[in-house]
Amino acid sequence: MELFAEQGFAATTVPEITARAGLTTRTFHRHFADKREVLFADDARVPDFVAVLMESFPPSAEPITLIVEGLRLLIEERFEGRKEALRARRDLVRSDDGLRERDLHKRAVMAEALRTGFLSRGIDPTRAALLAETGVTLMYVSVAEWLDRKDDRKLYDVLLATLETMRAELTQENVPPPAKPIPRTSAR
């Protein structure tokens, strides 16, 4: 991360990374396919984490409970106590098109893992997809809000506030009535 911050992601080479870390290039490549994987290596564990989470809750558990509790566990394990490092990582990802693309891939992997988990619990495909995307969006919006904050508020508290904002926006009073179909016009 120091090299990326000093030189920029694109300008930093694997040999420079290995020299700074006191490793050989061969050792680096045993652990990482390329330098992007230094930032995204944990992505492969997401489906397993979701599968274990889904299995740990009783079949009667509400999907939103799985989402919120799963995110709470993820926050405790991976986020709390790392705010400054995560800010630096976010800034680095924002600085490089390839990293932004890889971050979108990570988001898609998370959503697919959740969708698959909800499907395995017997939730219909449309609802499973909506729940999965909502869970991932809730996490991404909460993390962005938390990283932008200058106070010491916990990420989980930000997540709960974000969830309440989402709930308020989606209550029946706020949802517009179904739109009237737009009449088709004939092509000229």
Side-chain angles (χ1 to χ4, degrees):
M1 287 301 291
E2 289 172 7
L3 277 172
F4 294 151
E6 291 167 12
Q7 302 176 172
F9 181 79
T12 302
T13 65
V14 170
E16 289 171 325
I17 294 169
T18 59
R20 176 76 63 98
L23 302 171
T24 65
T25 303
R26 174 182 243 167
T27 300
F28 177 90
H29 285 295
R30 267 191 238 134
H31 298 281
F32 305 106
D34 59 34
K35 66 183 179 179
R36 290 181 309 166
E37 292 306 308
V38 171
L39 299 171
F40 296 101
D42 289 341
D43 291 3
R45 294 182 6 201
V46 170
D48 292 336
F49 175 83
V50 171
V52 168
L53 175 74
M54 293 290 180
E55 291 171 7
S56 71
F57 280 88
S60 61
E62 290 295 322
I64 194 66
T65 300
L66 273 72
I67 290 171
V68 173
E69 281 302 301
L71 293 177
R72 182 186 61 76
L73 292 170
L74 187 65
I75 287 166
E76 288 174 0
E77 180 184 315
R78 310 276 297 286
F79 289 85
E80 290 300 345
R82 298 186 57 225
K83 192 171 188 177
E84 290 308 313
L86 292 167
R87 260 192 200 129
R89 182 187 180 284
R90 178 194 60 184
D91 293 345
L92 180 62
V93 169
R94 286 179 173 174
S95 74
D96 184 87
D97 289 340
L99 293 177
R100 283 194 306 274
E101 182 179 326
R102 185 65 174 85
D103 195 51
L104 287 172
H105 174 73
K106 175 182 179 177
R107 187 175 178 150
V109 166
M110 289 171 61
E112 181 57 24
L114 281 170
R115 188 186 74 78
T116 300
F118 285 127
L119 288 172
S120 73
R121 293 177 73 84
I123 295 175
D124 75 81
T126 299
R127 186 172 178 223
L130 285 169
L131 287 164
E133 293 294 338
T134 299
V136 172
T137 298
L138 178 62
M139 183 64 182
Y140 268 75
V141 170
S142 298
V143 168
E145 167 74 17
W146 178 65
L147 291 176
D148 287 341
R149 297 180 73 88
K150 303 293 186 232
D151 59 22
D152 61 352
R153 192 167 179 199
K154 298 284 188 187
L155 175 53
Y156 186 66
D157 294 334
V158 173
L159 181 123
L160 292 176
T162 304
L163 177 60
E164 287 309 311
T165 299
M166 184 185 299
R167 282 181 173 155
E169 288 301 317
L170 295 176
T171 59
Q172 194 61 34
E173 300 88 50
N174 293 331
V175 177
K180 294 178 184 174
I182 300 172
R184 290 187 167 191
T185 58
S186 59
R188 294 182 187 185

